[in-house]
Amino acid sequence: MILSLLGRSALRPNRNNNIFLNTDLENQFKAFREKAADAMPGSDWTPFEKNRSLPPERADIVIVGGGVVGWSIAYWLKQKEMIRDGVRVLVVERDPTYSQASTVLSAGGIRQQFSLPENIHLSMISADFMRNINEHLSVLNEDPVDLQFNHSGYLFLASEKVAHIMEENYRTQRYAGAKVSLLSTTQLKEKCPWINTDGVVLASYGLENEGWFDPWMLLNAFRRKAISMGVYQCFGEVTGFRYTTNTMTTAEGDTVDFRRIKYANVQMPNSLEYQPVECAIVVNAAGAFSGKVAEMMGIGLGLKDTIAGIPLPVEPRKRFIYVVHCPNGPGLDTPFLVDYSGVYFRREGLGGNYIAGMSPEEEEEPETNNLEVDHQFFQKIWPHLAHRVPAFECLKVTSAWAGFYDYNTFDQNGIVGMHPLVNNMFFATGFSGHGLQHSPAVGRAMAELILDGGFKTLDLSAFSFKRIMTKEPMLERNIV
Amino acid sequence: MLMQRSCRQVTLLAAPSRYWSSIPVAPPSLQPRLLLFLSQRFHDIETILSWSSWFKNRGLRQKNFFYGYTQQNYGDNIAAAYYILSLKGGFRFAGQSEWFRSDRRGKFNWDFMNHRDTSIEEVDVSNTLINYTGLENLVKQRGLCTLSVSGCAEVDDWFLSRLHIFQDTLEELDISNCPRISVGGLAALQKLRGLRRLDVSSLPRLQNPGLVAILLEEMLPHCHVTAIGYDHSLIYSHTQTDG
């Protein structure tokens, strides 16, 4: 056994000639076995020299988009496969620097204060996952995952007009099991003496499992673990699909095209070279750019009144985050405060820095062809901030950045599930700013949908494409 | 024979990952390196190593499982008391002055069974394996005044965020020497409005202990914060002056 161990590791030849001859023979047998395996169909061997950065020619599941949702799905697929190398998963990411990815540009908050029970459950499951993240995502001999989770909670403020909505949401949240408490104005003033409670009638504070964390650490934890489990990663752009079409006629005589993706064309960055990857299932987790990927399959390009004419209603929306410095601002106990005017801010680090932002009105949406920051927009945020927290009257903007929301224009909730007309394309997109906090739970739900055929632990059928076809929106009232 | 792994799927991220850790680590000794070498080449070794971590987790879970049966039959207080004693900790009932502890071998006095209706006032579970799930056994003790989890390896930020249950009554909290606590968990202590004494000494993961102690004092104005065991000396850096 020691001899075979020696033969299988890359040791230098020993001085003793006899042992060297034995290992040489073993190596030759090993090489012969590998060549024989490569000659069998289904292996990756080709006689031609190929570019190392190309993806494999065949993959079972291709995940378009290497953000936190895409890698979460890849991890859970590998976690749930029943046998070793049961599914070959390929994650295709366009940008190796993640410079425009929504994941890394996000504020990184997680909250349970939603109005839909499904969203609350998604957040609670994701928080449980993050609490036990080292049980799930630790890799042998690597550092343990440290998300730098700040447990400061979210604080929502409500004016007269929306107080009843907040109370209803509170009931839904408590029923779903989230630990939230309602605060009156006096209690709020006692808890946060730095707040100006003008106009605030009710406040809702999350006691547990709420706060913010580092999204890059979560993304890398998923990626590292998934790669260690055998997920293939490719940096390239999916530029098109090759599909077969099956035309069927309905009872009324209309024709419907059912498409099945056969190949996904992955183009290398800065090159015309592309690799058609033969795949069984494609998962669209491209975030803000999922609409473009869906268009490649012809979703939305059919006749106006047919199902084929309904596009994927996900488009990129630019949101700004400003880093401000205020030496006399609220201290370590600052929660993630969301005002009823739409302005939010949270503490960043220990040096008196805060990050603030606001969702613009529908008419004032900035254009999305670049990630330039509009510094004039801060002039709209500042009055609200200074009104709510008097200490913020003397603050200085030190930095700012912009990121995209994968905004679902239909009802601002995620779209999870299969498309009715494209038989093997699954969606996990459109979360409109909540993708990061729901990513572990959505990844598990997608893996169950793909491998088990249906949702097992959490039923997300309310988020399927069906509601877009029947035009029944599931509105989430607590969008920030 | 041992199943050989194809090295294609080895974690090639081993080298860059060292840049992520902010704490300098010494190169590992021979035995972990040998285990890593073997686990990267043989599936069997990899599976055995994952079993060992699974067993460790299982041991931790068994220490901290929910004493539902005891709660049903003997009441919440007895269940909490039994849990603390099985962890090798100690506690004191409200209105009494003697502490119930278990000794080094895990043996304890069963007299606590006589006090079914008294709630627990002080708990000392320092240097035990209590964690977030174990706290479930203590949530019914609404009269808890003192909690000491000093030196517990499994107490982390999530445990601290759960302490909001005792926000009205908890007066003294000792979380010194817990290797997993960081600033994010200390921010969660804001909910403990009744806290009078807080001990955050020797927390290895705190980068700026002096600043954090000041911020904690500002956050909890009625609380006295103890933060000893840190090296507050200035870092002396060599500066070259020309001329």
Side-chain angles (χ1 to χ4, degrees), chain A residues 8 14 125 166 211 266 302 313 315 334 339 373 426 428 438 478:
Chain A
R8 283 170 187 184
N14 216 327
I125 293 175
M166 179 172 273
V266 178
E315 59 177 46
T334 323
D339 192 37
V373 177
F426 287 80
H438 291 161
N478 243 0

Side-chain angles (χ1 to χ4, degrees), chain A residues 5 8 84 127 131 135 140-143 146 149-152 191 205 207-209 228 232 333 350, chain B residues 2 8 11 14 17-18 21 36 39 42-43 57 132 157-158 161-162 164 184 187 190-191 205 219:
Chain A
L5 265 180
R8 283 170 187 184
R84 192 185 295 279
R131 190 178 74 233
E135 257 180 53
L140 185 64
N141 204 51
E142 300 288 341
D143 292 333
D146 172 23
F149 201 108
N150 274 279
H151 296 259
S152 296
K191 178 179 157 58
Y205 180 60
L207 292 168
E208 257 191 75
N209 293 338
S228 81
Y232 290 77
D333 57 341
L350 299 175
Chain B
L2 292 175
R8 187 172 12 113
T11 52
S17 79
R18 286 293 150 207
S21 74
L36 176 69
S39 76
F42 298 105
H43 282 306
N57 275 340
Y132 179 93
D157 296 337
W158 298 86
S161 77
R162 193 126 203 247
H164 72 85
Q190 56 171 295
K191 301 166 200 125
R205 277 181 66 177
M219 181 169 95

Side-chain angles (χ1 to χ4, degrees), chain A residues 157-198:
Chain A
L157 302 178
S159 60
E160 279 277 357
K161 286 192 308 178
V162 292
H164 62 286
I165 303 183
M166 179 172 273
E167 283 176 10
E168 258 179 61
N169 290 347
Y170 171 74
R171 272 196 288 275
T172 327
Q173 287 149 21
R174 285 303 294 258
Y175 185 69
K179 313 260 192 343
V180 185
S181 69
L182 279 183
L183 301 171
S184 68
T185 326
T186 26
Q187 287 170 327
L188 178 64
K189 191 76 191 168
E190 203 188 294
K191 178 179 157 58
C192 304
W194 38 266
I195 278 191
N196 168 18
T197 50
D198 245 3

Side-chain angles (χ1 to χ4, degrees), chain A residues 69 98 129 133 195 201 274 278 310 318 358 382 384 443 447 473:
Chain A
V69 174
Y98 285 90
F129 182 89
I133 196 163
I195 278 191
V201 158
Y274 72 93
E278 185 178 356
I310 304 176
K318 192 154 76 162
M358 180 165 96
W382 198 356
H384 294 287

Side-chain angles (χ1 to χ4, degrees), chain B residues 3 16 27 42 44 56 82 104 119 140 154 156 161 173-174 197 225:
Chain B
M3 270 168 59
F42 298 105
D44 309 32
K56 213 166 60 164
Y82 185 49
R104 227 171 8 101
S119 73
K140 296 281 172 59
E154 298 294 326
D156 57 4
S161 77
L173 180 62
D174 180 359
R197 278 182 302 283
V225 176

Side-chain angles (χ1 to χ4, degrees), chain A residues 87-270:
Chain A
V87 281
R88 183 185 278 197
V89 182
L90 170 71
V91 173
V92 181
E93 165 59 38
R94 183 166 70 168
D95 181 6
T97 58
Y98 285 90
S99 54
Q100 295 200 329
S102 314
T103 304
V104 297
L105 296 168
S106 110
I110 176 169
R111 58 175 163 117
Q112 272 86 42
Q113 296 180 55
F114 289 101
S115 58
L116 281 177
E118 283 92 359
N119 277 335
I120 303 174
H121 286 301
L122 278 173
S123 280
M124 278 169 40
I125 293 175
S126 301
D128 268 346
F129 182 89
M130 287 188 226
R131 190 178 74 233
N132 298 319
I133 196 163
N134 276 308
E135 257 180 53
H136 296 284
L137 297 184
S138 65
V139 177
L140 185 64
N141 204 51
E142 300 288 341
D143 292 333
V145 182
D146 172 23
L147 286 181
Q148 295 172 9
F149 201 108
N150 274 279
H151 296 259
S152 296
Y154 266 67
L155 182 65
F156 279 85
L157 302 178
S159 60
E160 279 277 357
K161 286 192 308 178
V162 292
H164 62 286
I165 303 183
M166 179 172 273
E167 283 176 10
E168 258 179 61
N169 290 347
Y170 171 74
R171 272 196 288 275
T172 327
Q173 287 149 21
R174 285 303 294 258
Y175 185 69
K179 313 260 192 343
V180 185
S181 69
L182 279 183
L183 301 171
S184 68
T185 326
T186 26
Q187 287 170 327
L188 178 64
K189 191 76 191 168
E190 203 188 294
K191 178 179 157 58
C192 304
W194 38 266
I195 278 191
N196 168 18
T197 50
D198 245 3
V200 174
V201 158
L202 197 58
S204 153
Y205 180 60
L207 292 168
E208 257 191 75
N209 293 338
E210 292 199 352
W212 59 88
F213 58 95
D214 186 358
W216 175 245
M217 291 308 297
L218 182 65
L219 174 64
N220 267 331
F222 272 128
R223 190 160 76 141
R224 183 178 77 173
K225 182 71 179 176
I227 291 185
S228 81
M229 290 163 108
V231 170
Y232 290 77
Q233 177 186 34
C234 171
F235 288 116
E237 186 175 351
V238 171
T239 45
F241 298 101
R242 277 200 345 234
Y243 48 87
T244 56
T245 317
N246 192 2
T247 316
M248 309 193 73
T249 340
T250 64
E252 285 92 35
D254 307 319
T255 54
V256 183
D257 277 343
F258 288 98
R259 300 195 167 142
R260 186 161 212 108
I261 299 176
K262 290 291 178 202
Y263 293 86
N265 292 340
V266 178
Q267 184 166 5
M268 292 296 107
N270 300 325

